[in-house]
Amino acid sequence: MKGSKDAQRIARQLMKATVIDGRVDASVVRTVMVKLATDKPRGYLGVLNVYSHLVRLELKKSHAVIESAKPLGAVLEANVLADLKGKYGTQLTSEFKSNPELLGGMRVRVGSDVWDGSVRERLVRLREKFG
Amino acid sequence: MSNILQELESEIASLKTSVTKSNVGVVREIGDGVAKIEGLSDVMLNEMIEFPGGLYGLALNLEETEVGVVLMGSGLNIKEGDEVRTTGRLLQVPVGREMLGRTVDSLGAPLDGKGEIKADAQYPVEKIAPGIIARQSVSVPVQTGIQAIDAMIPVGRGQRELIIGDRQTGKTTIAVDTIISQANQNRAAAEGKLKDHKPIYCIYVAIGQKLSNVARIIQTLENAGAMEYTTVVTEAASEPACKQYLAPYTGCAIGEWFMDQGEDVLIVFDDLSKHAVAYREMSLVLRRPSGREAYPGDVFYLHSRLLERSARLSEKEGGGSMTALPIVETQAGDVSAYIPTNVISITDGQIFLETDLFYQGIRPAISVGLSVSRVGSAAQTKAIKKVSGTTKLDLAQYRELQAFAQFGSDLDEKTKATLDRGARIVELFKQNQYSPIPLELQVSTLWAMQNGHFDDVAVENVKDCQLKMEEFLSTRKDEVMAKLRDAKAITEEIGAELKAAVEDFKKSYKAPSAE
């Protein structure tokens, strides 16, 4: 996502103001959007584009995607989420998905970190070892 | 059989419980051999990035929200949204004695169809050069076998001597001759004919060359029996710029292993102009700011960090050395262009080859005035120092007087003598390609020249006389040559025997009749 240098600079400054205590403040995001849309400063579309990209990346850092071969059940989901919140903070949002390609086990992604305990991953590693 | 089963079971057991943690990113853009990746929050500079399908890339641009990764192969199967992951390791290549005699690419993978290489170790491609304390000064010569170089522009072990010149002036030939000469000396030492000789292993790095050229060079080395002491690292012109950029560093890593074992290595970078062009291409597609001639700002650092890795280590560090012969191609003899001036300032001297001399039949076409070796004279053997002391000066005077002599015919005796001597030295230094001359024969012919034994030979017959003298000395006066080879100095006794041998030859020498 490339905007003009000015747009990037302004969007970065807005982003700094948006992140409070390590998390994205929704009210600040709304204020920024309304202000830019009403005042329409020069290049505001570019700024909005870069800003939304930065907000999306920031939100991803505190969003967990938990994949498993078949649905986990409420108790297990709650346990997994509690563990993850203990590690990544209570603001962590989550999304549970079932992915039969994993064959078994679980795969958790938070931001760029991936914890992979799926059967598919183990088979891949086994293949690499004996490859 | 049971061992294999146990191994398999233990591997499965080790995999059973573990959960792998990795750092991943998503491909956002791909094109021109560069992928822009979103994510990869833990990536390191120069880290290898794994793409789907076993393709690897090198993380070169770490930006705030994305990472610029240069692909080390074809990225045709990579698409937007593909997941990539960090590997946690910087680029490493296999190194070891098994690399000798092999042709590999910049990742150390064999290209010669001779099977897998069992490496002794893995060395990082990028490494900080040895510091001041770990080094010692250059004091041991590299006998290139090229008389003009050994006499006037000597190269020492651990030195960096640039070979520079226009296209088709014989730059690669000088490098290949030097490799062949090392192989000849290594073989002679192994047979016990050369005393106190520490073998030099060679690495030839071909960057952005035609595959036919590389094949020809490998064939030449094989024909000369030099391949068994040599490793060829090649990335042809058809390979991605990233792989061409890595090739000299890979060669350097292979050489460093030998150096760390206390051995001596010679590495040829053929050539750094193409290397700079590959790096420029990479930098431009990575959208790095460009400077002079569109090269990026760190093009000096590109070559300085490479050539600084050539060193002669102290005895405490094992006493190994890595001598570098970088090659740079000039355009129309312009040594003041960007890359040539950079590399000239980094190296410890240069051998400048001139197109005019080449077409006049003076081959190797070394320009004596512009060529220099800043540290090599400290490494010259006593014998060659004694006989070549004034040669460079004689030749420089000859060139100056030659220009004057064109305007008039009335010359005094001294001028005539200088011109005659100069013309004969020029003839003496002409040498066929791929035929390096051993030290003792170089010393003998230079001694004969210095002592006027060529003065009565017509200029056009000097080469013939020299070749016959070399043949005579190596077949009929082997004892004197052996003494000279061992002593590496002209003692009174050797001097007297050499004089007798040369006079003996002169009695029997008959110049070829002009037909």
Side-chain angles (χ1 to χ4, degrees):
Chain A
M1 179 57 62
K2 288 274 177 193
S4 72
K5 276 189 180 169
D6 275 348
Q8 284 182 38
R9 186 175 49 80
I10 295 166
R12 269 203 300 270
Q13 282 172 348
L14 290 171
M15 193 62 211
K16 261 187 194 171
T18 308
V19 179
I20 297 166
D21 293 337
R23 69 188 194 93
V24 175
D25 192 316
S27 62
V28 180
V29 176
R30 273 187 218 104
T31 312
V32 168
M33 271 163 47
V34 171
K35 190 77 180 151
L36 282 173
T38 49
D39 289 1
K40 293 184 179 171
R42 192 175 174 184
Y44 76 102
L45 268 177
V47 175
L48 267 177
N49 274 332
V50 179
Y51 181 67
S52 70
H53 177 70
L54 293 176
V55 169
R56 187 170 55 82
L57 289 179
E58 196 59 39
L59 285 173
K60 260 192 180 176
K61 285 183 191 169
S62 53
H63 182 71
V65 179
I66 302 125
E67 290 176 271
S68 54
K70 51 184 184 178
L72 291 178
V75 180
L76 193 53
E77 278 186 9
N79 284 344
V80 170
L81 198 57
D83 280 352
L84 287 172
K85 281 187 175 174
K87 189 169 173 56
Y88 288 98
T90 49
Q91 281 81 34
L92 190 79
T93 55
S94 62
E95 181 185 349
F96 287 88
K97 284 181 180 173
S98 61
N99 180 1
E101 283 182 13
L102 296 181
L103 303 174
M106 208 188 292
R107 187 178 194 264
V108 179
R109 177 169 177 171
V110 184
S112 317
D113 290 343
V114 171
W115 303 86
D116 202 335
S118 67
V119 174
R120 184 185 64 180
E121 171 67 12
R122 290 176 201 188
L123 287 174
V124 167
R125 282 169 56 206
L126 201 61
R127 189 178 62 195
E128 280 169 5
K129 281 241 176 188
F130 291 97
Chain B
M1 188 67 179
S2 62
N3 281 346
I4 295 169
L5 275 175
Q6 276 174 2
E7 210 176 297
L8 184 66
E9 278 164 8
S10 67
E11 286 289 348
I12 292 168
S14 70
L15 290 168
K16 251 180 190 171
T17 51
S18 63
V19 173
T20 57
K21 190 203 171 199
S22 52
N23 198 255
V24 299
V26 175
V27 176
R28 279 283 159 251
E29 263 180 63
I30 185 154
D32 301 324
V34 168
K36 292 286 167 84
I37 313 289
E38 209 174 82
L40 297 180
S41 56
D42 291 346
V43 71
M44 298 182 283
L45 187 68
N46 283 333
E47 184 177 349
M48 286 176 81
I49 306 295
E50 190 184 343
F51 285 77
L55 178 70
Y56 284 91
L58 207 57
L60 286 179
N61 265 18
L62 309 189
E63 290 168 22
E64 199 176 354
T65 57
E66 61 188 20
V67 178
V69 177
V70 176
L71 303 177
M72 291 192 283
S74 165
L76 285 176
N77 297 324
I78 308 295
K79 52 189 187 302
E80 189 192 343
D82 278 352
E83 194 176 273
V84 301
R85 62 172 71 190
T86 56
T87 58
R89 56 179 204 270
L90 302 177
L91 186 58
Q92 291 187 323
V93 288
V95 294
R97 208 164 290 278
E98 285 238 347
M99 299 301 278
L100 293 175
R102 304 301 300 268
T103 304
V104 296
D105 68 4
S106 59
L107 301 177
L111 297 171
D112 49 10
K114 291 180 185 169
E116 200 187 329
I117 298 172
K118 289 190 189 92
D120 291 316
Q122 295 277 331
Y123 260 40
V125 164
E126 292 274 2
K127 204 175 173 190
I128 302 292
I132 301 165
I133 303 297
R135 293 175 187 243
Q136 65 172 315
S137 54
V138 174
S139 59
V140 182
V142 174
Q143 294 295 337
T144 64
I146 300 162
Q147 199 162 13
I149 295 175
D150 288 342
M152 296 185 293
I153 321 145
V155 181
R157 295 189 186 191
Q159 189 179 339
R160 299 151 308 165
E161 184 78 8
L162 170 67
I163 303 171
I164 185 169
D166 279 6
R167 55 180 287 280
Q168 295 293 314
T169 49
K171 302 183 293 296
T172 304
T173 306
I174 284 184
V176 172
D177 274 354
T178 309
I179 293 175
I180 294 172
S181 174
Q182 302 321 307
N184 291 348
Q185 289 170 68
N186 293 350
R187 209 173 300 109
E191 288 165 2
K193 290 177 190 166
L194 201 57
K195 280 183 188 166
D196 305 326
H197 177 80
K198 197 174 167 189
I200 297 186
Y201 299 103
C202 302
I203 297 158
Y204 177 80
V205 184
I207 311 154
Q209 292 197 38
K210 286 185 278 187
L211 280 169
S212 57
N213 275 355
V214 181
R216 190 168 44 81
I217 288 163
I218 293 171
Q219 193 58 52
T220 307
L221 293 175
E222 267 172 4
N223 292 346
M227 203 54 202
E228 60 180 300
Y229 302 101
T230 309
T231 302
V232 177
V233 180
T234 177
E235 283 301 346
S238 56
E239 296 298 328
C242 175
K243 290 185 89 179
Q244 291 184 39
Y245 151 75
L246 287 172
Y249 297 98
T250 301
C252 217
I254 295 169
E256 270 167 349
W257 183 83
F258 285 103
M259 185 166 75
D260 290 346
Q261 308 304 308
E263 315 225 40
D264 290 341
V265 190
L266 172 85
I267 184 162
V268 177
F269 302 112
D270 194 0
D271 67 73
L272 290 189
S273 324
K274 289 195 185 79
H275 182 235
V277 167
Y279 187 59
R280 174 170 66 182
E281 186 183 324
M282 242 173 61
S283 300
L284 289 174
V285 292
L286 280 167
R287 294 177 192 280
R288 287 180 177 177
S290 57
R292 183 175 159 189
E293 292 175 30
Y295 287 107
D298 63 342
V299 75
F300 185 89
Y301 181 54
L302 172 82
H303 290 147
S304 63
R305 75 173 191 267
L306 171 72
L307 293 168
E308 273 299 304
R309 286 162 74 176
S310 297
R312 177 146 188 257
L313 297 179
S314 62
E315 292 306 321
K316 202 178 161 191
E317 297 289 327
S321 76
M322 182 151 70
T323 311
L325 293 181
I327 294 177
V328 163
E329 188 181 296
T330 53
Q331 304 293 328
D334 181 15
V335 282
S336 62
Y338 192 23
I339 302 303
T341 46
N342 276 358
V343 185
I344 284 171
S345 72
I346 297 164
T347 48
D348 308 311
Q350 71 276 347
I351 297 165
F352 185 69
L353 303 174
E354 273 184 28
T355 314
D356 287 351
L357 293 176
F358 188 84
Y359 288 115
Q360 281 167 27
I362 300 168
R363 296 172 195 178
I366 297 167
S367 165
V368 178
L370 289 173
S371 302
V372 66
S373 175
R374 294 192 192 113
V375 294
S377 58
Q380 247 181 340
T381 53
K382 276 183 187 169
I384 210 139
K385 201 178 253 183
K386 192 173 179 183
V387 292
S388 66
T390 58
T391 312
K392 204 171 178 188
L393 191 66
D394 286 347
L395 265 183
Q397 282 177 345
Y398 164 68
R399 296 252 183 262
E400 201 177 327
L401 289 173
Q402 197 185 25
F404 267 114
Q406 285 176 341
F407 298 107
S409 55
D410 293 335
L411 300 169
D412 61 280
E413 287 304 312
K414 199 183 168 209
T415 310
K416 269 185 189 168
T418 310
L419 283 170
D420 285 351
R421 175 61 61 89
R424 283 174 175 79
I425 294 174
V426 168
E427 286 299 312
L428 194 74
F429 283 154
K430 285 182 184 173
Q431 194 172 329
N432 284 338
Q433 63 177 354
Y434 313 138
S435 47
I437 305 172
L439 172 79
E440 62 276 12
L441 292 178
Q442 286 187 26
V443 172
S444 304
T445 49
L446 278 167
W447 180 89
M449 176 62 76
Q450 200 183 40
N451 290 283
H453 291 281
F454 282 100
D455 289 354
D456 55 349
V457 180
V459 174
E460 61 272 19
N461 292 330
V462 166
K463 198 73 222 166
D464 174 73
C465 180
Q466 181 197 3
L467 292 174
K468 284 179 178 159
M469 186 189 286
E470 284 174 2
E471 196 185 333
F472 176 84
L473 291 173
S474 52
T475 52
R476 308 262 298 269
K477 301 289 176 186
D478 194 32
E479 278 177 24
V480 189
M481 292 299 103
K483 277 183 191 171
L484 192 53
R485 193 162 50 225
D486 294 343
K488 291 187 173 68
I490 304 175
T491 57
E492 257 182 47
E493 184 202 344
I494 293 173
E497 284 183 38
L498 192 59
K499 190 180 176 194
V502 171
E503 281 170 357
D504 210 5
F505 164 75
K506 283 298 292 294
K507 277 180 208 160
S508 63
Y509 175 68
K510 269 187 184 173
S513 55
E515 284 173 17

